[in-house]
Amino acid sequence: MQPYEFVGDWSGQLVTTSIHAGHDLRPEVADLMVLHEADRLREEDPFTDAIGSLMPARVLVHRSRFEADLNRSRDMAVYARPEDCWGFNVWETGHLPQDVLARSLEYWDSFYAALTLRLDALAARGPFVIFDIHSYNHRRPGPDEPNESWAQNPELDLGTGMVDRERFTPVIDALRDCMATQGFDVRDEIKFFPKQLSQWVHRRYPGTGCVMTLEFKKTFMDEWTGIPDSHRLNVLAQSVHLAAGPVQDALAALPRSTGAEEDSSDRLAG
């Protein structure tokens, strides 16, 4: 399977990503991995691609984050130690051979190079939004233990910490209000803060790119068995799709450019 793909209609200014949905591994990586597949699946974000399936432009990643994590900086993208990845021992020898590591980083590099070409085209047209869809576990004590507390586990943990609030607050509010109106418990960065993808976009496209991370609690699946709830997944997909309209309206109502956006456009053109 190809590592990632860009699908749908990219003529608009809204993109959805599911960069942790993948479970595939290169054979040479799979051969060196001692982590049990069920443990790996539990720490991936399965079915987040389904949550974004009704959106027009999508980035689908098919490789596991345990090969190279696209939401971590390049130097941290390949998990080297248990403390990098929830205490798991991942590799048979305790580390990857340098040639295998290099090929995993080539995958990381190729993803961001390909994404650059896509987003440069959007940025040349004006401001754009990315819905970066993730999920998180809320039953870590065990499959037969009570769920973790509601207070620290919102249904939707919204990550906007890297966004230019002065420019994009109407866009953030449009997403939050639409999801809340649909009955979602939406709170900001209770468990997570945006990482590599968001940071990279906001550095490269200041005043133009707006990445909002949607971390859904895994109420749409059993995080221990990996079995999905198809009905709940459909509800989430419809809800995210419904939010696209207000977000796009808010985006279209923004002033055309800022100084930062003009600087970014000049740099891309050059």
Side-chain angles (χ1 to χ4, degrees):
M1 182 181 295
Q2 57 188 318
Y4 52 81
E5 57 183 323
F6 304 95
V7 301
D9 178 3
W10 283 68
S11 63
Q13 297 300 102
L14 176 58
V15 175
T16 302
T17 63
S18 51
I19 60 175
H20 282 164
H23 189 64
D24 194 27
L25 295 169
R26 299 197 320 274
E28 64 176 355
V29 171
D31 289 345
L32 293 168
M33 186 172 289
V34 295
L35 178 65
H36 194 282
E37 185 174 11
D39 292 329
R40 176 161 64 90
L41 181 65
R42 192 163 60 252
E43 301 303 342
E44 295 162 344
D45 292 351
F47 311 114
T48 49
D49 51 348
I51 295 173
S53 61
L54 301 180
M55 302 298 283
R58 294 179 289 147
V59 180
L60 304 179
V61 174
H62 303 300
R63 291 281 175 85
S64 171
R65 66 188 303 177
F66 283 86
E67 179 169 318
D69 192 333
L70 300 176
N71 209 29
R72 295 195 186 182
S73 61
R74 190 181 190 276
D75 61 326
M76 298 293 292
V78 178
Y79 306 148
R81 306 162 299 171
E83 50 265 40
D84 296 335
C85 51
W86 307 279
F88 290 122
N89 290 309
V90 179
W91 309 113
E92 184 176 24
T93 60
H95 63 276
L96 280 179
Q98 285 301 308
D99 60 329
V100 179
L101 172 62
R103 284 187 284 275
S104 292
L105 293 177
E106 287 173 3
Y107 153 61
W108 191 99
D109 291 338
S110 73
F111 173 80
Y112 276 99
L115 185 61
T116 295
L117 295 177
R118 292 283 181 157
L119 296 187
D120 279 1
L122 269 67
R125 297 196 296 262
F128 65 88
V129 170
I130 294 177
F131 287 177
D132 184 27
I133 300 180
H134 295 265
S135 64
Y136 73 91
N137 296 322
H138 64 113
R139 297 170 56 207
R140 284 195 177 277
D144 300 319
E145 299 298 321
N147 295 349
E148 295 177 38
S149 72
W150 171 87
Q152 294 300 313
N153 293 271
E155 186 170 14
L156 174 55
D157 193 3
L158 183 60
T160 60
M162 298 299 299
V163 178
D164 179 350
R165 293 298 186 104
E166 184 175 353
R167 178 149 171 76
F168 287 108
T169 288
V171 177
I172 298 170
D173 289 347
L175 174 60
R176 182 188 294 109
D177 292 349
C178 186
M179 297 302 287
T181 298
Q182 296 179 71
F184 285 85
D185 166 29
V186 183
R187 284 175 274 163
D188 289 12
E189 292 163 5
I190 300 297
K191 296 182 72 72
F192 302 97
F193 189 83
K195 293 186 178 180
Q196 169 66 24
L197 179 65
S198 179
Q199 294 167 6
W200 177 83
V201 168
H202 291 111
R203 284 195 306 266
R204 182 171 177 82
Y205 308 101
T208 305
C210 173
V211 180
M212 294 184 285
T213 304
L214 286 71
E215 292 269 4
F216 286 98
K217 182 162 63 175
K218 287 184 179 176
T219 59
F220 57 85
M221 63 177 291
D222 185 318
E223 67 190 56
W224 285 94
T225 66
I227 297 173
D229 179 339
S230 298
H231 172 72
R232 188 61 186 165
L233 277 173
N234 183 60
V235 168
L236 295 182
Q238 295 285 350
S239 297
V240 170
H241 184 251
L242 185 62
V247 166
Q248 288 171 312
D249 290 344
L251 187 67
L254 294 178
R256 177 62 179 83
S257 65
T258 65
E261 185 179 347
E262 290 170 355
D263 291 345
S264 177
S265 297
D266 290 344
R267 175 171 52 81
L268 296 174

